[in-house]
Amino acid sequence: MPIIAPSLLASNFLRLDDELKMINESKADWIHIDVMDGRFVPNIAIGLPVIAAMRPATKKIFDVHLMILEPERYAEDFRKAGADRLTVHLEACTHLHRNIQQIKSLGMEAGVALNPSTPVELLSDILHDLDSVLVMSVNPGFGGQQFIPHTFQKIRNLRRMIHDRGLSTHIELDGGVTVENCTSLVKSGADVLVAGNTVFSSKDPIATIHSLKNCD
Ligand code: DX5
Ligand code: ZN
C-alpha cells in the first residue's frame, strides 16, 4: 500500500482546522506542505508560521517540500516549526550533499526533488544518503496541472537504481496524481503519492484518500 500525502496547497486555507480534522480521520500517512519563495518557482504559498500553527492539530508526519533557493538558511527553522521531513530541489542546491547532511543532523528525514526535465541519473552519487526522492510530474509551483506522461519512465529507471543498490529509498510522486493513474504509478515503482486537487476538490476527501491508499 502506498503512503498517501494530501497536499495542503489545494486545501481551503480559511478552514485549515477542518481540513486537518478531515486528514486526521482519514488513512493519510503524511501531510504534504509546499513552501515556495517566488524565486525558484513563480509562486508563494505556505510559510513557517502557518506550519507552526498547524503542528498541535495533528500527529501526522509533516512532509515539507521546499521549492526555495538556499534552503540551508531555513532548515533549522522548519524543524522548529514542526517539519518531520524536508525535501530540497536538486536544481536549487549547489552543495546538495551538505544540504542533505544538514537536514539529517537536525533530526529530519531528507529528500531530494527533481523537476520534470532533470534526469534521475543525476542522483547516482547521493541516492544512498536519501530517505526519499520526490519526482515532480508537473512543473513545480502550482496545483491542478496535468500529469506529464514521461514521468512513468523516470520512476521505472529510478526504481531500478534503488533496487540495484539494495536501498529502501521512497519514490514520492508529486503533481497530477488521480484515482485513475495511481495504480499505474505504484506499479511503476512509486510508493508515496502526493495528491492536492484530487483530494481537496473531491466530494468526499476521506473516501478519495481511501481509494488512493488502495491503489496497488
Ligand atoms: C506543485 C506542488 C504539488 C501540488 C500538487 O508545485 O509541489 O504538491 O500541490 O497538486 P496537484 O495534486 O493538484 O497536482
Ligand atoms: Zn509538492
Side-chain angles (χ1 to χ4, degrees), residues 19-205:
E19 303 286 41
L20 291 172
K21 278 184 193 139
M22 178 281 288
I23 292 174
N24 285 342
E25 284 170 31
S26 78
K27 289 198 167 354
D29 305 277
W30 298 356
I31 299 180
H32 187 81
I33 304 171
D34 291 301
V35 174
M36 311 179 189
D37 64 356
R39 294 171 71 211
F40 179 66
V41 288
N43 199 4
I44 296 176
I46 305 162
L48 285 161
V50 177
I51 296 176
M54 291 191 298
R55 188 63 281 185
T58 179
K59 289 194 171 66
K60 305 263 181 186
I61 288 169
F62 276 5
D63 175 44
V64 177
H65 176 191
L66 293 183
M67 286 163 270
I68 67 173
L69 299 174
E70 301 178 298
E72 63 278 1
R73 290 174 58 193
Y74 300 99
E76 193 174 348
D77 293 337
F78 279 104
R79 181 53 170 161
K80 284 184 186 146
D84 299 294
R85 340 183 55 262
L86 221 51
T87 293
V88 295
H89 265 265
L90 179 141
E91 304 84 1
C93 297
T94 309
H95 300 289
L96 185 61
H97 183 269
R98 183 181 290 153
N99 290 108
I100 295 304
Q101 300 312 320
Q102 181 199 24
I103 294 168
K104 289 178 156 182
S105 72
L106 289 165
M108 292 179 281
E109 289 196 1
V112 167
L114 302 177
N115 282 340
S117 65
T118 304
V120 293
E121 288 74 16
L122 287 184
L123 294 173
S124 185
D125 292 310
I126 190 87
L127 199 53
H128 53 277
D129 285 315
L130 306 180
D131 295 298
S132 58
V133 176
L134 186 155
V135 178
M136 286 299 312
S137 35
V138 300
N139 284 296
F142 302 92
Q145 303 180 78
Q146 233 194 336
F147 183 91
I148 299 170
H150 177 67
T151 314
F152 280 111
Q153 193 55 49
K154 290 180 73 171
I155 304 171
R156 282 193 288 270
N157 293 346
L158 182 58
R159 182 47 72 196
R160 195 169 316 119
M161 285 169 70
I162 291 169
H163 179 265
D164 289 350
R165 288 163 169 80
L167 300 171
S168 52
T169 326
H170 291 299
I171 299 182
E172 181 170 9
L173 224 285
D174 187 7
V177 172
T178 64
V179 174
E180 287 71 38
N181 66 16
C182 65
T183 303
S184 354
L185 289 169
V186 171
K187 285 209 166 93
S188 304
D191 65 332
V192 183
L193 301 177
V194 175
N197 279 272
T198 290
V199 168
F200 291 99
S201 302
S202 81
K203 281 208 185 79
D204 187 345

